[in-house]
Amino acid sequence: KPCRLDMTCPGDLVGKWNHIAFAVDPKAGHMCLRVNFGKAYYCGFPKDMAMLSDGMIYVGQDAALDPTNRLPAVLDDLCICGRALGEDDIRRLESYYQM
């Protein structure tokens, strides 16, 4: 069954470039959020939660177009991967974006 989960970004992100890594790992039963390649914040989800059953991905805006859920940011790069990123993947991304 689908369900909605909200995560809040830690720290003050206003007015500057930020790197957000958000990974969903259905096998582990959690989502992971990293801000500027720092500490990982985890949020579990129900084992029976449907993952992308309708083929739609919403980043900061839900299907109802509720303005209170709008992402207050401009996206520059959006990468969607076929698997959850591990620690080594995050370090490679950090190295790439910190060039």
Coordinates of all heavy atoms in Angstrom, one line a residue:
K1 N 0.8 -1.2 0.0 CA 0.0 0.0 0.0 C 0.9 1.2 0.0 O 1.9 1.3 0.7 CB -0.9 0.0 1.2 CG -0.2 0.0 2.5 CD -1.1 -0.1 3.7 CE -0.4 0.0 4.9 NZ -0.5 -1.0 5.9
P2 N 0.5 2.2 -0.8 CA 1.3 3.5 -0.8 C 1.1 4.2 0.5 O 0.1 4.2 1.2 CB 0.8 4.3 -1.9 CG -0.3 3.4 -2.6 CD -0.5 2.2 -1.7
C3 N 2.2 4.9 1.0 CA 2.0 5.8 2.1 C 3.0 7.0 1.9 O 4.0 6.9 1.1 CB 2.3 5.1 3.4 SG 4.0 4.6 3.7
R4 N 2.7 8.1 2.6 CA 3.5 9.3 2.5 C 4.5 9.4 3.6 O 4.1 9.2 4.8 CB 2.6 10.5 2.4 CG 3.4 11.8 2.3 CD 2.4 12.9 2.5 NE 3.2 14.1 2.7 CZ 3.1 15.1 1.8 NH1 2.3 15.1 0.8 NH2 3.9 16.2 2.0
L5 N 5.7 9.7 3.4 CA 6.7 9.9 4.4 C 7.4 11.3 4.1 O 7.8 11.5 3.0 CB 7.8 8.8 4.4 CG 7.3 7.4 4.8 CD1 8.3 6.4 4.5 CD2 6.9 7.4 6.3
D6 N 7.5 12.1 5.1 CA 8.2 13.4 5.0 C 9.5 13.4 5.8 O 9.6 12.8 6.9 CB 7.3 14.5 5.5 CG 6.1 14.7 4.7 OD1 6.2 14.7 3.4 OD2 5.0 14.9 5.3
M7 N 10.6 13.9 5.2 CA 11.8 14.1 5.9 C 12.2 15.6 5.8 O 12.0 16.2 4.8 CB 12.9 13.2 5.3 CG 12.7 11.8 5.5 SD 14.0 10.8 4.7 CE 15.3 11.0 6.0
T8 N 12.7 16.1 6.9 CA 13.2 17.5 6.9 C 14.7 17.5 6.8 O 15.4 16.8 7.5 CB 12.7 18.2 8.2 OG1 11.3 18.1 8.3 CG2 13.1 19.6 8.2
C9 N 15.2 18.4 5.9 CA 16.6 18.6 5.8 C 17.2 19.2 7.1 O 16.7 20.3 7.5 CB 17.0 19.4 4.6 SG 16.6 18.7 3.1
P10 N 18.2 18.7 7.7 CA 18.8 19.3 8.8 C 19.7 20.5 8.5 O 20.2 20.5 7.4 CB 19.7 18.2 9.4 CG 20.0 17.3 8.2 CD 18.9 17.4 7.3
G11 N 19.8 21.5 9.4 CA 20.7 22.6 9.1 C 20.1 23.7 8.4 O 19.0 23.6 7.8
D12 N 20.8 24.8 8.3 CA 20.4 26.0 7.5 C 20.9 25.9 6.1 O 22.1 26.0 5.8 CB 20.9 27.3 8.2 CG 20.5 28.5 7.5 OD1 19.6 28.5 6.7 OD2 21.1 29.6 7.8
L13 N 20.0 25.7 5.2 CA 20.3 25.5 3.8 C 20.0 26.7 2.9 O 20.2 26.7 1.7 CB 19.6 24.3 3.2 CG 19.8 23.0 4.0 CD1 19.1 21.8 3.4 CD2 21.3 22.6 4.2
V14 N 19.4 27.8 3.5 CA 18.9 28.9 2.7 C 20.0 29.7 2.1 O 21.0 30.0 2.7 CB 18.0 29.8 3.6 CG1 17.5 31.0 2.9 CG2 16.9 29.0 4.2
G15 N 19.8 30.1 0.8 CA 20.7 31.0 0.1 C 22.0 30.5 -0.3 O 22.9 31.3 -0.6
K16 N 22.2 29.2 -0.4 CA 23.5 28.7 -0.8 C 23.4 27.4 -1.6 O 22.3 26.8 -1.5 CB 24.5 28.5 0.4 CG 23.9 27.6 1.5 CD 24.9 27.6 2.7 CE 24.2 26.8 3.8 NZ 25.0 26.8 5.0
W17 N 24.4 27.0 -2.3 CA 24.4 25.7 -3.0 C 24.5 24.6 -1.9 O 25.3 24.7 -1.0 CB 25.5 25.6 -3.9 CG 25.3 26.4 -5.2 CD1 25.9 27.5 -5.5 CD2 24.5 26.0 -6.3 NE1 25.5 28.0 -6.7 CE2 24.6 27.1 -7.2 CE3 23.7 25.0 -6.6 CZ2 24.0 27.1 -8.4 CZ3 23.0 25.0 -7.8 CH2 23.1 26.0 -8.7
N18 N 23.7 23.6 -2.1 CA 23.7 22.4 -1.2 C 23.7 21.1 -2.0 O 23.1 21.1 -3.1 CB 22.5 22.4 -0.2 CG 22.6 23.6 0.8 OD1 23.4 23.5 1.7 ND2 21.9 24.7 0.5
H19 N 24.3 20.1 -1.5 CA 24.3 18.8 -2.1 C 23.4 17.9 -1.2 O 23.7 17.7 -0.1 CB 25.7 18.2 -2.2 CG 26.5 19.1 -3.1 ND1 27.4 20.0 -2.5 CD2 26.7 19.2 -4.4 CE1 28.0 20.7 -3.5 NE2 27.6 20.2 -4.6
I20 N 22.3 17.4 -1.8 CA 21.4 16.5 -1.1 C 21.5 15.1 -1.7 O 21.2 15.0 -2.9 CB 20.0 17.0 -1.1 CG1 19.9 18.5 -0.7 CG2 19.1 16.1 -0.3 CD1 20.3 18.8 0.7
A21 N 21.8 14.1 -1.0 CA 21.7 12.7 -1.5 C 20.6 12.0 -0.7 O 20.6 11.9 0.5 CB 23.1 12.0 -1.2
F22 N 19.7 11.5 -1.5 CA 18.5 10.8 -0.9 C 18.4 9.5 -1.5 O 18.3 9.4 -2.7 CB 17.3 11.7 -1.2 CG 16.0 11.1 -0.8 CD1 15.6 11.1 0.6 CD2 15.1 10.5 -1.7 CE1 14.4 10.6 1.0 CE2 13.9 9.9 -1.3 CZ 13.6 10.0 0.1
A23 N 18.5 8.4 -0.7 CA 18.5 7.1 -1.2 C 17.4 6.3 -0.6 O 17.1 6.4 0.6 CB 19.8 6.4 -1.0
V24 N 16.7 5.5 -1.4 CA 15.7 4.6 -0.9 C 16.2 3.1 -1.1 O 16.6 2.8 -2.2 CB 14.3 4.7 -1.7 CG1 13.3 3.7 -1.2 CG2 13.8 6.2 -1.6
D25 N 16.2 2.4 0.0 CA 16.7 1.0 0.0 C 15.6 0.1 0.5 O 15.4 -0.1 1.6 CB 17.9 0.9 0.9 CG 18.6 -0.5 0.7 OD1 18.0 -1.4 0.2 OD2 19.8 -0.6 1.1
P26 N 14.7 -0.4 -0.5 CA 13.6 -1.3 -0.1 C 14.0 -2.5 0.6 O 13.3 -2.9 1.5 CB 13.0 -1.6 -1.5 CG 13.5 -0.6 -2.4 CD 14.8 -0.2 -1.9
K27 N 15.2 -3.1 0.3 CA 15.6 -4.3 0.9 C 15.9 -4.1 2.4 O 15.7 -4.9 3.3 CB 16.8 -4.9 0.2 CG 16.4 -5.5 -1.1 CD 17.6 -6.1 -1.8 CE 17.2 -6.6 -3.2 NZ 18.3 -7.1 -4.0
A28 N 16.6 -2.9 2.7 CA 16.9 -2.6 4.1 C 15.7 -2.0 4.8 O 15.8 -1.9 6.0 CB 18.1 -1.6 4.1
G29 N 14.7 -1.5 4.1 CA 13.5 -1.0 4.7 C 13.7 0.4 5.2 O 13.1 0.8 6.2
H30 N 14.6 1.2 4.5 CA 14.8 2.6 5.0 C 15.1 3.5 3.8 O 15.5 3.1 2.8 CB 15.8 2.7 6.1 CG 17.2 2.3 5.6 ND1 17.9 1.2 6.0 CD2 18.1 3.0 4.7 CE1 19.1 1.2 5.5 NE2 19.2 2.2 4.7
M31 N 15.0 4.8 4.2 CA 15.5 5.9 3.3 C 16.6 6.6 4.0 O 16.7 6.6 5.2 CB 14.4 6.9 3.0 CG 13.2 6.3 2.2 SD 11.9 7.5 1.9 CE 11.1 7.4 3.5
C32 N 17.5 7.1 3.3 CA 18.7 7.8 3.8 C 18.8 9.2 3.2 O 18.7 9.3 2.0 CB 20.0 6.9 3.6 SG 21.5 7.7 4.1
L33 N 19.1 10.1 4.0 CA 19.3 11.5 3.6 C 20.6 12.0 4.1 O 21.0 11.9 5.2 CB 18.2 12.4 4.1 CG 18.3 13.9 3.9 CD1 18.0 14.2 2.4 CD2 17.3 14.7 4.8
R34 N 21.4 12.6 3.1 CA 22.7 13.2 3.5 C 22.7 14.6 2.9 O 22.3 14.8 1.8 CB 23.9 12.4 2.8 CG 24.1 11.1 3.5 CD 25.3 10.4 2.8 NE 25.6 9.1 3.2 CZ 26.5 8.8 4.2 NH1 27.2 9.8 4.7 NH2 26.7 7.6 4.5
V35 N 23.1 15.5 3.7 CA 23.2 16.9 3.3 C 24.7 17.3 3.3 O 25.4 17.1 4.3 CB 22.5 17.8 4.3 CG1 22.6 19.3 3.9 CG2 21.0 17.4 4.4
N36 N 25.1 17.8 2.1 CA 26.5 18.2 1.9 C 27.5 17.1 2.3 O 28.5 17.4 2.9 CB 26.8 19.5 2.6 CG 26.0 20.6 2.0 OD1 25.8 20.7 0.8 ND2 25.4 21.5 2.8
F37 N 27.1 15.9 1.9 CA 28.0 14.7 2.1 C 28.3 14.4 3.6 O 29.3 13.7 3.8 CB 29.3 14.8 1.3 CG 29.0 15.2 -0.2 CD1 29.2 16.4 -0.6 CD2 28.4 14.2 -1.0 CE1 28.9 16.8 -2.0 CE2 28.1 14.6 -2.3 CZ 28.4 15.8 -2.8
G38 N 27.6 14.9 4.5 CA 27.8 14.7 5.9 C 27.1 13.5 6.5 O 26.9 12.5 5.8
K39 N 26.7 13.6 7.7 CA 26.1 12.5 8.5 C 24.9 12.0 7.8 O 24.1 12.7 7.2 CB 25.7 13.0 9.9 CG 25.0 12.0 10.7 CD 24.6 12.6 12.0 CE 23.7 11.6 12.8 NZ 23.3 12.2 14.1
A40 N 24.7 10.7 7.8 CA 23.5 10.0 7.2 C 22.3 10.0 8.2 O 22.5 9.7 9.3 CB 23.8 8.6 6.8
Y41 N 21.2 10.5 7.7 CA 19.9 10.5 8.5 C 19.0 9.4 7.9 O 18.8 9.4 6.7 CB 19.2 11.8 8.5 CG 20.0 12.9 9.2 CD1 21.0 13.6 8.5 CD2 19.9 13.2 10.6 CE1 21.8 14.6 9.1 CE2 20.6 14.2 11.2 CZ 21.6 14.9 10.5 OH 22.3 15.8 11.1
Y42 N 18.6 8.5 8.8 CA 17.8 7.4 8.3 C 16.3 7.5 8.7 O 16.1 7.9 9.8 CB 18.3 6.0 8.8 CG 19.7 5.7 8.1 CD1 20.9 6.1 8.7 CD2 19.7 5.0 6.9 CE1 22.1 5.8 8.1 CE2 20.9 4.7 6.3 CZ 22.1 5.1 6.9 OH 23.3 4.8 6.4
C43 N 15.4 7.0 7.9 CA 14.0 7.0 8.2 C 13.5 5.6 7.7 O 13.6 5.3 6.5 CB 13.3 8.1 7.5 SG 11.5 8.1 7.7
G44 N 12.9 4.8 8.6 CA 12.4 3.5 8.1 C 11.0 3.7 7.5 O 10.3 4.7 7.7
F45 N 10.6 2.7 6.8 CA 9.2 2.7 6.2 C 8.7 1.3 6.3 O 9.4 0.3 6.4 CB 9.2 3.3 4.8 CG 10.1 2.5 3.8 CD1 9.7 1.4 3.2 CD2 11.3 3.1 3.4 CE1 10.5 0.7 2.3 CE2 12.1 2.4 2.5 CZ 11.7 1.2 1.9
P46 N 7.3 1.2 6.2 CA 6.7 -0.1 6.3 C 7.2 -1.1 5.2 O 7.4 -0.7 4.1 CB 5.2 0.2 6.1 CG 5.1 1.6 6.4 CD 6.4 2.3 6.0
K47 N 7.3 -2.3 5.6 CA 7.8 -3.4 4.7 C 6.8 -3.5 3.5 O 7.3 -3.9 2.4 CB 8.0 -4.7 5.4 CG 9.1 -4.7 6.4 CD 10.4 -4.6 5.7 CE 11.5 -4.7 6.8 NZ 12.8 -4.4 6.3
D48 N 5.5 -3.3 3.7 CA 4.6 -3.5 2.6 C 4.3 -2.2 1.8 O 3.4 -2.1 1.0 CB 3.3 -4.0 3.2 CG 2.6 -3.1 4.2 OD1 3.3 -2.1 4.6 OD2 1.4 -3.3 4.5
M49 N 5.2 -1.2 2.0 CA 5.0 0.1 1.2 C 5.2 -0.1 -0.2 O 6.2 -0.8 -0.6 CB 5.9 1.2 1.8 CG 5.7 2.5 1.1 SD 6.8 3.7 2.0 CE 7.5 4.6 0.6
A50 N 4.3 0.3 -1.1 CA 4.5 0.2 -2.5 C 5.6 1.2 -3.0 O 5.7 2.4 -2.6 CB 3.2 0.6 -3.3
M51 N 6.5 0.7 -3.8 CA 7.6 1.6 -4.3 C 7.4 1.9 -5.7 O 7.5 1.0 -6.6 CB 9.0 0.9 -4.1 CG 9.3 0.5 -2.6 SD 9.4 2.0 -1.5 CE 10.7 2.8 -2.2
L52 N 7.1 3.1 -6.0 CA 6.9 3.6 -7.4 C 5.9 2.8 -8.2 O 6.2 2.5 -9.3 CB 8.3 3.7 -8.0 CG 9.4 4.5 -7.3 CD1 10.7 4.4 -8.0 CD2 9.0 5.9 -7.1
S53 N 4.8 2.4 -7.6 CA 3.9 1.5 -8.3 C 3.3 2.1 -9.5 O 2.9 1.5 -10.4 CB 2.8 1.0 -7.3 OG 2.1 2.1 -6.8
D54 N 3.1 3.5 -9.5 CA 2.6 4.1 -10.6 C 3.6 4.7 -11.5 O 3.3 5.4 -12.5 CB 1.6 5.2 -10.2 CG 2.3 6.3 -9.4 OD1 3.5 6.2 -9.1 OD2 1.6 7.3 -9.0
G55 N 4.9 4.4 -11.3 CA 6.0 4.9 -12.1 C 6.3 6.4 -11.9 O 7.0 7.0 -12.7
M56 N 5.7 7.0 -10.9 CA 5.9 8.5 -10.7 C 6.9 8.7 -9.5 O 6.8 8.0 -8.5 CB 4.6 9.2 -10.4 CG 3.6 8.9 -11.5 SD 4.0 9.6 -13.1 CE 3.5 11.3 -12.8
I57 N 7.7 9.7 -9.6 CA 8.6 10.1 -8.6 C 8.3 11.6 -8.3 O 8.3 12.4 -9.2 CB 10.1 10.0 -8.9 CG1 10.4 8.5 -9.2 CG2 11.0 10.6 -7.8 CD1 11.8 8.3 -9.7
Y58 N 8.0 11.9 -7.1 CA 7.8 13.3 -6.7 C 8.9 13.8 -5.8 O 9.1 13.2 -4.7 CB 6.4 13.4 -6.0 CG 5.3 12.9 -6.8 CD1 4.7 11.7 -6.6 CD2 4.8 13.7 -7.9 CE1 3.7 11.2 -7.4 CE2 3.7 13.2 -8.7 CZ 3.2 12.0 -8.4 OH 2.2 11.5 -9.2
V59 N 9.5 14.9 -6.2 CA 10.6 15.5 -5.4 C 10.0 16.9 -4.9 O 10.0 17.8 -5.7 CB 11.9 15.7 -6.1 CG1 12.9 16.3 -5.3 CG2 12.4 14.3 -6.6
G60 N 9.6 17.0 -3.7 CA 9.1 18.2 -3.1 C 7.7 18.7 -3.6 O 7.3 19.8 -3.2
Q61 N 7.0 17.8 -4.3 CA 5.7 18.2 -4.7 C 4.9 16.9 -4.9 O 5.3 16.0 -5.7 CB 5.7 19.0 -6.1 CG 4.4 19.5 -6.5 CD 3.9 20.6 -5.7 OE1 4.7 21.5 -5.3 NE2 2.7 20.6 -5.3
D62 N 3.8 16.8 -4.2 CA 3.1 15.5 -4.3 C 2.1 15.5 -5.5 O 1.9 16.5 -6.2 CB 2.3 15.2 -3.0 CG 1.2 16.2 -2.6 OD1 0.8 17.0 -3.5 OD2 0.8 16.2 -1.5
A63 N 1.4 14.4 -5.7 CA 0.5 14.3 -6.8 C -0.7 15.2 -6.7 O -1.2 15.5 -7.8 CB 0.0 12.8 -6.9
A64 N -1.0 15.6 -5.6 CA -2.2 16.5 -5.4 C -1.8 18.0 -5.7 O -2.7 18.9 -5.7 CB -2.8 16.4 -4.0
L65 N -0.5 18.2 -6.0 CA 0.0 19.6 -6.2 C -0.3 20.5 -5.1 O -0.7 21.7 -5.3 CB -0.6 20.1 -7.6 CG -0.2 19.3 -8.8 CD1 -0.8 19.9 -10.1 CD2 1.3 19.3 -9.0
D66 N -0.2 20.0 -3.9 CA -0.4 20.8 -2.7 C 0.7 21.8 -2.5 O 1.8 21.4 -2.4 CB -0.5 19.8 -1.5 CG -0.7 20.5 -0.2 OD1 -0.7 21.8 -0.1 OD2 -1.0 19.8 0.8
P67 N 0.4 23.1 -2.6 CA 1.5 24.1 -2.5 C 2.3 24.1 -1.2 O 3.4 24.6 -1.2 CB 0.8 25.4 -2.7 CG -0.7 25.2 -2.5 CD -0.9 23.7 -2.7
T68 N 1.7 23.5 -0.1 CA 2.5 23.5 1.1 C 3.6 22.4 1.1 O 4.5 22.5 1.9 CB 1.5 23.1 2.3 OG1 1.0 21.8 2.1 CG2 0.5 24.2 2.5
N69 N 3.6 21.6 0.0 CA 4.6 20.6 -0.1 C 5.7 20.9 -1.2 O 6.5 20.1 -1.5 CB 4.0 19.2 -0.5 CG 3.1 18.7 0.6 OD1 3.4 18.8 1.8 ND2 2.0 18.1 0.3
R70 N 5.6 22.1 -1.7 CA 6.5 22.5 -2.7 C 7.9 22.6 -2.2 O 8.2 23.1 -1.1 CB 6.0 23.9 -3.3 CG 6.7 24.2 -4.6 CD 6.1 25.4 -5.3 NE 4.7 25.2 -5.6 CZ 4.3 24.6 -6.7 NH1 5.2 24.1 -7.5 NH2 3.0 24.4 -7.0
L71 N 8.9 22.1 -3.0 CA 10.3 22.2 -2.7 C 10.8 23.6 -2.8 O 10.7 24.2 -4.0 CB 11.1 21.3 -3.6 CG 12.6 21.2 -3.3 CD1 12.9 20.6 -2.0 CD2 13.3 20.4 -4.4
P72 N 11.2 24.3 -1.8 CA 11.6 25.7 -1.9 C 13.1 25.9 -2.4 O 13.9 26.4 -1.7 CB 11.5 26.2 -0.4 CG 11.8 25.0 0.4 CD 11.3 23.8 -0.4
A73 N 13.3 25.3 -3.5 CA 14.7 25.3 -4.1 C 14.7 25.2 -5.6 O 13.7 24.8 -6.2 CB 15.5 24.2 -3.5
V74 N 15.8 25.4 -6.2 CA 16.0 25.2 -7.6 C 17.0 24.0 -7.7 O 18.0 24.0 -7.1 CB 16.6 26.5 -8.3 CG1 17.0 26.2 -9.7 CG2 15.7 27.7 -8.1
L75 N 16.6 23.0 -8.5 CA 17.4 21.9 -8.7 C 18.4 22.1 -9.9 O 18.0 22.5 -11.0 CB 16.6 20.6 -9.0 CG 15.6 20.2 -7.9 CD1 14.8 19.0 -8.4 CD2 16.3 19.8 -6.7
D76 N 19.6 21.8 -9.7 CA 20.6 22.0 -10.7 C 20.9 20.7 -11.4 O 20.8 20.5 -12.6 CB 21.9 22.6 -10.1 CG 22.9 22.9 -11.2 OD1 22.6 23.7 -12.1 OD2 24.0 22.3 -11.2
D77 N 21.3 19.7 -10.6 CA 21.6 18.3 -11.0 C 20.6 17.4 -10.3 O 20.5 17.5 -9.1 CB 23.0 17.9 -10.7 CG 24.0 18.5 -11.6 OD1 23.7 19.1 -12.6 OD2 25.2 18.4 -11.3
L78 N 20.0 16.5 -11.0 CA 19.1 15.5 -10.4 C 19.5 14.2 -11.0 O 19.4 14.0 -12.2 CB 17.6 15.8 -10.6 CG 16.7 14.7 -10.1 CD1 16.8 14.6 -8.6 CD2 15.3 15.0 -10.5
C79 N 20.1 13.3 -10.2 CA 20.5 12.0 -10.6 C 19.7 10.9 -10.0 O 19.5 10.9 -8.8 CB 22.0 11.7 -10.2 SG 23.1 13.0 -10.8
I80 N 19.1 10.0 -10.8 CA 18.3 8.9 -10.3 C 19.1 7.6 -10.6 O 19.4 7.4 -11.8 CB 16.9 8.9 -10.9 CG1 16.2 10.2 -10.6 CG2 16.1 7.7 -10.5 CD1 14.9 10.4 -11.3
C81 N 19.4 6.9 -9.6 CA 20.2 5.7 -9.8 C 19.4 4.4 -9.6 O 18.3 4.5 -9.0 CB 21.3 5.7 -8.7 SG 22.4 7.1 -8.8
G82 N 19.8 3.4 -10.2 CA 19.1 2.1 -10.1 C 19.3 1.3 -8.9 O 18.8 0.2 -8.7
R83 N 20.0 1.9 -7.9 CA 20.3 1.2 -6.6 C 20.6 2.2 -5.6 O 20.9 3.4 -5.9 CB 21.4 0.2 -6.7 CG 22.7 0.9 -7.0 CD 23.9 -0.1 -7.1 NE 25.1 0.5 -7.5 CZ 25.9 1.2 -6.8 NH1 25.6 1.4 -5.5 NH2 27.0 1.7 -7.2
A84 N 20.4 1.8 -4.3 CA 20.8 2.8 -3.2 C 22.3 3.0 -3.2 O 23.1 2.0 -3.4 CB 20.3 2.2 -1.9
L85 N 22.7 4.2 -3.0 CA 24.1 4.5 -2.9 C 24.7 4.2 -1.6 O 24.1 4.4 -0.5 CB 24.3 6.0 -3.2 CG 23.8 6.6 -4.5 CD1 24.1 8.1 -4.6 CD2 24.4 5.8 -5.7
G86 N 25.9 3.6 -1.6 CA 26.6 3.2 -0.4 C 27.6 4.3 -0.1 O 27.7 5.4 -0.7
E87 N 28.3 4.1 1.0 CA 29.3 5.1 1.5 C 30.4 5.4 0.5 O 30.7 6.6 0.3 CB 30.0 4.5 2.8 CG 30.9 5.5 3.5 CD 30.2 6.7 4.1 OE1 29.0 6.6 4.5 OE2 30.8 7.8 4.1
D88 N 30.9 4.4 -0.3 CA 31.9 4.6 -1.3 C 31.3 5.5 -2.4 O 32.0 6.4 -3.0 CB 32.4 3.3 -1.9 CG 33.3 2.6 -0.9 OD1 33.8 3.2 0.1 OD2 33.5 1.3 -1.1
D89 N 30.1 5.3 -2.8 CA 29.4 6.1 -3.8 C 29.3 7.5 -3.4 O 29.5 8.4 -4.2 CB 28.0 5.5 -4.1 CG 28.0 4.1 -4.6 OD1 28.8 3.7 -5.5 OD2 27.2 3.3 -4.0
I90 N 28.9 7.7 -2.2 CA 28.8 9.1 -1.6 C 30.1 9.8 -1.6 O 30.2 11.0 -2.0 CB 28.2 9.1 -0.2 CG1 26.7 8.6 -0.2 CG2 28.2 10.5 0.4 CD1 25.8 9.4 -1.0
R91 N 31.2 9.1 -1.3 CA 32.5 9.7 -1.3 C 33.0 10.1 -2.7 O 33.6 11.1 -2.9 CB 33.6 8.8 -0.6 CG 33.3 8.6 0.8 CD 33.5 9.8 1.7 NE 32.5 9.8 2.7 CZ 31.6 10.7 3.0 NH1 31.6 11.9 2.4 NH2 30.7 10.6 4.0
R92 N 32.6 9.2 -3.7 CA 33.0 9.6 -5.1 C 32.2 10.8 -5.5 O 32.7 11.7 -6.2 CB 32.7 8.4 -6.0 CG 33.8 7.3 -5.9 CD 33.7 6.3 -7.0 NE 32.5 5.4 -7.0 CZ 32.4 4.4 -6.2 NH1 33.4 4.0 -5.5 NH2 31.3 3.7 -6.2
L93 N 30.9 10.9 -5.2 CA 30.1 12.1 -5.5 C 30.7 13.3 -4.9 O 30.8 14.4 -5.5 CB 28.7 11.9 -5.1 CG 27.8 11.1 -6.0 CD1 26.4 10.8 -5.3 CD2 27.6 11.7 -7.4
E94 N 31.1 13.2 -3.6 CA 31.7 14.3 -2.9 C 32.9 14.8 -3.6 O 33.1 16.0 -3.8 CB 32.0 13.9 -1.4 CG 32.6 15.0 -0.7 CD 32.9 14.6 0.8 OE1 33.1 13.4 1.1 OE2 33.0 15.5 1.6
S95 N 33.8 13.8 -4.0 CA 35.0 14.2 -4.7 C 34.7 14.9 -6.0 O 35.3 15.9 -6.4 CB 35.8 12.9 -5.0 OG 37.0 13.2 -5.7
Y96 N 33.7 14.4 -6.8 CA 33.3 15.0 -8.0 C 32.8 16.4 -7.8 O 33.3 17.3 -8.6 CB 32.3 14.1 -8.7 CG 31.7 14.7 -10.0 CD1 32.4 14.6 -11.2 CD2 30.5 15.4 -10.0 CE1 31.9 15.2 -12.3 CE2 30.0 16.0 -11.1 CZ 30.7 15.9 -12.3 OH 30.2 16.5 -13.4
Y97 N 31.9 16.6 -6.9 CA 31.3 18.0 -6.7 C 32.2 18.9 -6.0 O 32.0 20.1 -6.0 CB 30.0 17.8 -6.0 CG 28.9 17.4 -7.0 CD1 28.4 16.1 -7.0 CD2 28.4 18.3 -8.0 CE1 27.4 15.7 -7.9 CE2 27.4 17.9 -8.9 CZ 27.0 16.6 -8.8 OH 26.0 16.2 -9.7
Q98 N 33.3 18.5 -5.3 CA 34.2 19.4 -4.6 C 35.4 19.7 -5.4 O 36.3 20.4 -4.9 CB 34.6 18.7 -3.3 CG 33.5 18.4 -2.4 CD 32.8 19.6 -1.8 OE1 33.3 20.6 -1.6 NE2 31.5 19.4 -1.6
M99 N 35.4 19.4 -6.7 CA 36.5 19.6 -7.6 C 36.8 21.1 -7.7 O 36.1 21.9 -7.7 CB 36.3 19.0 -9.0 CG 36.2 17.5 -9.0 SD 35.8 16.8 -10.6 CE 37.4 17.0 -11.4

